[in-house]
């Protein structure tokens, strides 16, 4: 079987710099039981001739070494990474921006793997963004119609940029399990609802790529700490041919103080 046909993608969400999970479906089909004796993955990209060694924990979690890879490539929330398996635990990684176009890199990655140097910005990426002003948009900005520009945002380090983006909570990945479909309820991640301010009184709708809204109701459990969707979301998943077990990325968009939509990104 050709390795080139084995690949998976992951959208980068707040907190992505600490670790990245290999999807269950990919792991079960192409990795489980075959490389149990190996706990290191090798990553490479078109941006450099370097090979990055990244630790794997619990078979699926890319941990130590992943943060350095992310910083070196100036990855940000909303970017998409595509892993193509080349051999055993070796992957070629293609890096896409939020527009789904491949990120263009200059010679910004230091071949000696010096952390201080690899935190430098990607010149071509910064040049492409130089005609825009950068603002830190948070859920509260959208809810209260308030926006503050950040004139110094072009001078912060990659790590600082990631930490700021982590607090936005504007994206969420949902993975539907067979039991979710059977029980007709889908839980939203607690960290996401806490950061975004979503609660049982929030009016939520799902928005597909054609601009069609699918209404769903929210219910709370555990004294309001857990929020789940009931009604509407199953029809949305079926109509958009979304698969059980695969991570689906959504963007949160507020419409007033108590209404919002989750816009399908992937």
């Amino acid at each position: 079987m050709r390795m080139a046909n084995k690949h998976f993608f992951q959208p980068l969400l707040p907190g992505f710099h600490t670790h990245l999970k290999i999807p269950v479906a990919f792991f079960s089909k192409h990795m489980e039981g075959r490389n149990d004796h190996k706990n290191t993955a090798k990553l490479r990209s078109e941006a450099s001739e370097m090979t990055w060694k990244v630790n794997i924990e619990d078979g699926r979690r890319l941990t130590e070494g992943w943060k350095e890879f992310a910083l070196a490539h100036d990855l940000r929330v909303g970017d998409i990474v595509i892993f193509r398996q080349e051999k055993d635990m070796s992957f070629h990684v293609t890096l896409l921006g939020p527009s789904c176009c491949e990120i263009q890199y200059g010679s910004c990655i230091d071949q000696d793997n010096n952390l201080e140097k690899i935190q430098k910005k990607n010149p071509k990426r910064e040049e492409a963004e130089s005609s825009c002003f950068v603002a830190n948009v948070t859920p509260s900005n959208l809810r209260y119609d308030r926006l503050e520009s950040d004139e110094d945002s072009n001078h912060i380090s990659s790590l600082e940029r990631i930490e700021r983006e982590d607090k936005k909570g504007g994206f969420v990945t949902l993975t539907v399990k067979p039991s979710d479909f059977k029980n007709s309820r889908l839980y939203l991640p607690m960290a996401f609802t806490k950061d975004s301010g979503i609660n049982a009184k929030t009016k939520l709708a799902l928005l597909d790529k054609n601009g069609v809204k699918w209404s769903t109701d929210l219910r709370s459990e555990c004294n309001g700490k857990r929020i789940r969707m009931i009604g509407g979301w199953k029809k949305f998943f079926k109509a958009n041919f979304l698969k059980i077990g695969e991570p689906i990325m959504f963007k949160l968009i507020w419409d007033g103080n108590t209404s919002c939509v989750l816009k399908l990104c992937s």
Side-chain angles (χ1 to χ4, degrees):
M1 185 179 295
R2 295 177 57 193
M3 287 289 184
N5 293 328
K6 301 178 181 180
H7 63 275
F8 67 88
F9 78 93
Q10 285 286 44
L12 299 183
L13 305 176
F16 74 86
H17 59 285
T18 61
H19 69 276
L20 191 75
K21 282 189 176 181
I22 297 172
V24 174
F26 184 91
F27 174 78
S28 300
K29 187 175 182 180
H30 302 298
M31 297 177 63
E32 190 172 17
R34 303 180 187 182
N35 300 286
D36 293 342
H37 61 289
K38 297 183 179 181
N39 58 5
T40 302
K42 295 180 180 180
L43 309 182
R44 69 179 187 89
S45 72
E46 295 297 330
S48 168
E49 295 180 356
M50 294 177 60
T51 297
W52 304 78
K53 294 184 179 180
V54 179
N55 285 357
I56 296 183
E57 296 181 5
D58 303 324
R60 293 180 48 224
R61 287 164 47 95
L62 301 179
T63 55
E64 184 177 349
W66 165 251
K67 180 178 180 179
E68 287 73 19
F69 180 88
L71 290 174
H73 292 80
D74 194 21
L75 297 179
R76 309 173 187 179
V77 171
D79 290 342
I80 300 170
V81 290
I82 301 175
F83 286 74
R84 187 180 76 244
Q85 189 177 25
E86 295 184 316
K87 182 180 179 181
D88 294 332
M89 302 299 287
S90 297
F91 296 86
H92 179 276
V93 186
T94 301
L95 312 162
L96 308 180
S99 63
C100 294
C101 294
E102 187 169 355
I103 300 171
Q104 299 299 312
Y105 290 92
S107 57
C108 60
I109 296 182
D110 179 70
Q111 297 297 324
D112 295 327
N113 197 18
N114 183 291
L115 183 59
E116 183 178 355
K117 292 182 179 179
I118 66 174
Q119 285 186 353
K120 289 181 179 178
K121 289 293 180 292
N122 168 5
K124 291 187 178 181
R125 186 165 185 173
E126 296 303 320
E127 182 180 353
E129 297 174 352
S130 61
S131 61
C132 305
F133 83 90
V134 179
N136 290 324
V137 181
T138 64
S140 61
N141 295 144
L142 297 174
R143 296 181 73 174
Y144 299 107
D145 195 20
R146 180 179 62 202
L147 182 64
E148 298 177 0
S149 64
D150 187 355
E151 297 179 353
D152 297 325
S153 60
N154 288 328
H155 305 290
I156 63 176
S157 68
S158 294
L159 181 58
E160 290 173 321
R161 184 187 297 277
I162 289 171
E163 289 175 344
R164 288 188 183 186
E165 289 174 331
D166 284 353
K167 299 177 181 179
K168 294 180 182 179
F171 294 88
V172 65
T173 293
L174 302 179
T175 303
V176 178
K177 302 184 293 293
S179 59
D180 296 327
F181 253 81
K182 180 179 179 180
N183 299 323
S184 297
R185 56 187 182 186
L186 180 61
Y187 288 94
L188 296 173
M190 287 191 290
F192 170 71
T193 56
K194 180 180 179 181
D195 291 342
S196 62
I198 292 177
N199 55 49
K201 296 181 180 180
T202 302
K203 294 181 180 179
L204 177 68
L206 301 174
L207 183 66
D208 65 23
K209 293 184 177 181
N210 297 317
V212 179
K213 284 186 178 181
W214 304 70
S215 297
T216 183
D217 293 323
L218 298 180
R219 295 290 185 273
S220 64
E221 296 179 0
C222 303
N223 296 322
K225 293 182 179 180
R226 297 195 68 185
I227 304 295
R228 59 185 173 89
M229 291 189 287
I230 59 171
W233 66 268
K234 290 176 63 175
K235 293 181 179 179
F236 172 86
F237 271 71
K238 290 180 180 178
N240 287 276
F241 303 101
L242 303 178
K243 297 181 180 180
I244 294 177
E246 292 190 358
I248 310 298
M249 183 180 182
F250 293 87
K251 180 179 181 180
L252 173 64
I253 303 174
W254 281 97
D255 181 16
N257 295 331
T258 59
S259 299
C260 63
V261 298
L262 290 179
K263 181 181 179 181
L264 179 64
C265 296
S266 56

